[in-house]
Structure formats: C-alpha cells, structure tokens
Amino acid sequence: MRLVVTGREGQVAASLLEAGQGRAGVEVIAIGRPELDLAKPDTLIEAIAAAKPDIVVSAAAYTAVDQAEDEPDPAFAVNGVGAGKVAEAARRLGVPVIHLSTDYVFDGSAPGAYVETDATAPASVYGASKLAGEQAVALANPRHLIVRTAWLYSPFGKNFVKTMLRLAADRDEIAVVADQWGNPTSALDIADAILHTAARLHGDKSFGAPGIYHLAGTGETNWSGFARHILDTSRVSGGPWARVRDIATMDYPTKARRPANSRLSSAKFTSVFGWNAPDWRQSTEAVVRRLLIDGTKNRR
C-alpha cells in the first residue's frame, strides 16, 4: 500500500514518513513544492499521478492563522481550492483521499465536545478557508475521509510543546491562556491512526464509510494545563522548567480569534475504525522526552 502525502514539512507528513518506515507492506511518499504547489492547481494531477498512490493523504495547508486575516486570498487558494484539486486528482486516479481539517471550523461556543453533525461557524479566515476545503473535497471525490483534529504537536516543525520548552530554558515564568479548552493531539498518534485506517480502506474497495470524522487526543485540558504538564514532564526528565501563570484570552490578544472550546469527540472514528487515541498526557510525555533526548544529542 502506497500512501502519497501532500506537503513535506508539516507535522503530520513528517510523522507519517517516520511511521511508514516501520510498517511492513507500507510505503509513504511525501510530495511538495516545487513539484506540487496547492496555490498552482495545474501542478497537482501530474505530481500526484507520478507518485502512483493507492491512497492520497491531503495534509498540506496554509497554517499561518493570524496572517490569514490580512491575506485571505492565499489562504482560500491553498486551503479551499487547492484541497479540492488534490481530492479531484485522487478521484481521477481512482483512489480515496484522507483530508486533514481543523477545530477552527467551529466558533468554540458549544458547551461540550463537538461532534461531526454540529453546525460549523468559523470565526477566522483560517477556519473559513479550511471549511471551504472540506466542502471542496467532499464535492470532488466521493471516496473521502475528512479528519478534523486539534492542538497538534510532535517532534517536528513548530508547535506548542517545543515553544514551551524553548521559553522555559530562558524564563522563570510563562504566562499561558487558561480559558481555551481542547484535546492536545500528537501528530505521531494521528499518523498511526491514518495508517490503521488506510489499511482498512485499501482492503475495502466499496469504501463504505466516507464522510467527516473527528480525531483528537483522549482527555481534555486548557492551554495552561497543557503547558504545566509539558514542563513538569521536562523537569522530571532533566529538562527546563518554569512556573506557568494563568491569563485570560483578553490578556493575550491575537489578530485571529481562537475558539474558546476546541474539544472534539472522537467517538465516531473509534466506532467505525476501531482506533482510539491514547490519553493526551501519555502522548505528551513521549514527545517531551524525545525532544529532550534529541536536544542532548544535538549538543554533543
């Protein structure tokens, strides 16, 4: 089974490349610029076809959340039109597409965890562009899975875990928002879930379970609780530590509005595909320890 992933630098793409190395009968290929550029739709079909996929994983995206408020056209070109063209390319090749989306398609006003049938209401340009992508993917390829996730982190790229460890190395105290809630999600776990699901889809030519799914870490916390667990894990592992001071969203203004509630229920995904994410604390500890070990190696 050959999975072709759009994007080379993203957390999910990097995690899939790593996870695929340890799976018998699985090959993961990442394609990106200049061969594939979501802002240039005419490059997509040729680049994807050349990789000869059995399944396409649509992971490339415009992810500059605040910058999107100032430049909506590039955000929609990549996250909306580009995502649809990736799905269309997969359809032309006769293969399914797994498209990665986000909690930002919701405004965060729900009292509990969001399920797939809840009404979308993005409160930012980024969220609106990702919702446009979901709609374009569904229209372009009937053999689609749209997977919404949230609060991604990993040993790769830029993310909250790496930021907290970097800040703790230079500060005694870090102010972190305490009134936004969600499910911290390891991209390593997302990669494992995608490979698990792709194997099932590859063997199911009828593709009987298309649609939207939520997939996030098990358990919930706020950003300050997430930060405390990261830094406490770091301290007991010999890494940097700092106090975390709770602040409100209004004390840390950003150009794009963040959802106050990013909690996602993954019950549908578990029911259909028989895969459940580990507790977010467990996955966070694994990534923190790995980052600390990698940092020690790099200093030698």
Side-chain angles (χ1 to χ4, degrees):
M1 178 181 66
R2 177 177 290 180
L3 271 69
V4 171
V5 188
T6 63
R8 292 193 181 101
E9 306 301 325
Q11 296 187 75
V12 172
S15 297
L16 273 170
L17 283 169
E18 180 177 273
Q21 294 174 0
R23 302 286 181 108
V26 174
E27 184 179 12
V28 179
I29 299 173
I31 53 176
R33 291 179 292 187
E35 295 83 8
L36 178 141
D37 188 341
L38 266 66
K40 299 176 181 178
D42 56 347
T43 69
L44 300 179
I45 182 66
E46 183 177 352
I48 294 173
K52 299 180 180 179
D54 294 306
I55 294 174
V56 173
V57 179
S58 175
Y62 178 110
T63 57
V65 175
D66 290 316
Q67 191 172 332
E69 297 296 310
D70 293 326
E71 47 180 47
D73 290 346
F76 275 90
V78 172
N79 292 342
V81 176
K85 292 298 183 181
V86 169
E88 180 183 341
R91 177 183 57 78
R92 289 186 183 184
L93 296 170
V95 301
V97 61
I98 301 174
H99 176 69
L100 273 294
S101 191
T102 174
D103 58 295
Y104 277 70
V105 300
F106 300 111
D107 65 6
S109 62
Y114 282 98
V115 297
E116 290 81 357
T117 53
D118 284 332
T120 53
S124 65
V125 169
Y126 169 72
S129 70
K130 290 296 289 183
L131 180 59
E134 290 186 4
Q135 295 164 344
V137 167
L139 286 173
N141 191 338
R143 300 173 70 196
H144 65 268
L145 294 185
I146 295 167
V147 179
R148 293 173 181 153
T149 190
W151 292 25
L152 273 181
Y153 64 91
S154 72
F156 313 110
K158 297 179 179 179
N159 57 71
F160 186 77
V161 172
K162 295 174 84 171
T163 297
M164 290 299 104
L165 293 175
R166 174 177 55 81
L167 292 177
D170 298 323
R171 304 182 186 181
D172 295 326
E173 183 177 87
I174 306 172
V176 184
V177 169
D179 55 0
Q180 295 175 20
W181 291 79
N183 315 98
T185 308
S186 170
L188 301 177
D189 292 337
I190 292 291
D192 184 65
I194 288 174
L195 289 174
H196 171 88
T197 305
R200 174 168 170 176
L201 298 181
H202 186 54
D204 180 8
K205 301 306 180 183
S206 67
F207 200 83
I212 296 173
Y213 293 84
H214 292 173
L215 180 57
T218 298
E220 62 186 52
T221 188
N222 56 23
W223 284 113
S224 63
F226 189 17
R228 285 189 178 91
H229 192 66
I230 293 165
L231 298 177
D232 287 347
T233 300
S234 174
R235 179 167 59 177
V236 300
S237 303
W241 180 85
R243 293 183 302 275
V244 174
R245 176 168 55 88
D246 292 358
I247 61 172
T249 296
M250 67 176 64
D251 298 323
Y252 187 76
T254 55
K255 188 163 289 187
R257 179 183 159 194
R258 268 64 172 172
N261 174 26
S262 289
R263 291 173 289 182
L264 301 176
S265 169
S266 302
K268 177 184 174 183
F269 189 92
T270 299
S271 175
V272 173
F273 296 108
W275 190 94
N276 192 52
D279 184 271
W280 71 267
R281 298 170 190 83
Q282 175 185 336
S283 295
T284 299
E285 290 161 11
V287 169
V288 168
R289 290 173 183 141
R290 175 169 165 177
L291 287 169
L292 294 175
I293 291 170
D294 290 347
T296 300
K297 288 179 180 177
N298 291 336
R299 290 194 297 270
R300 292 174 180 171

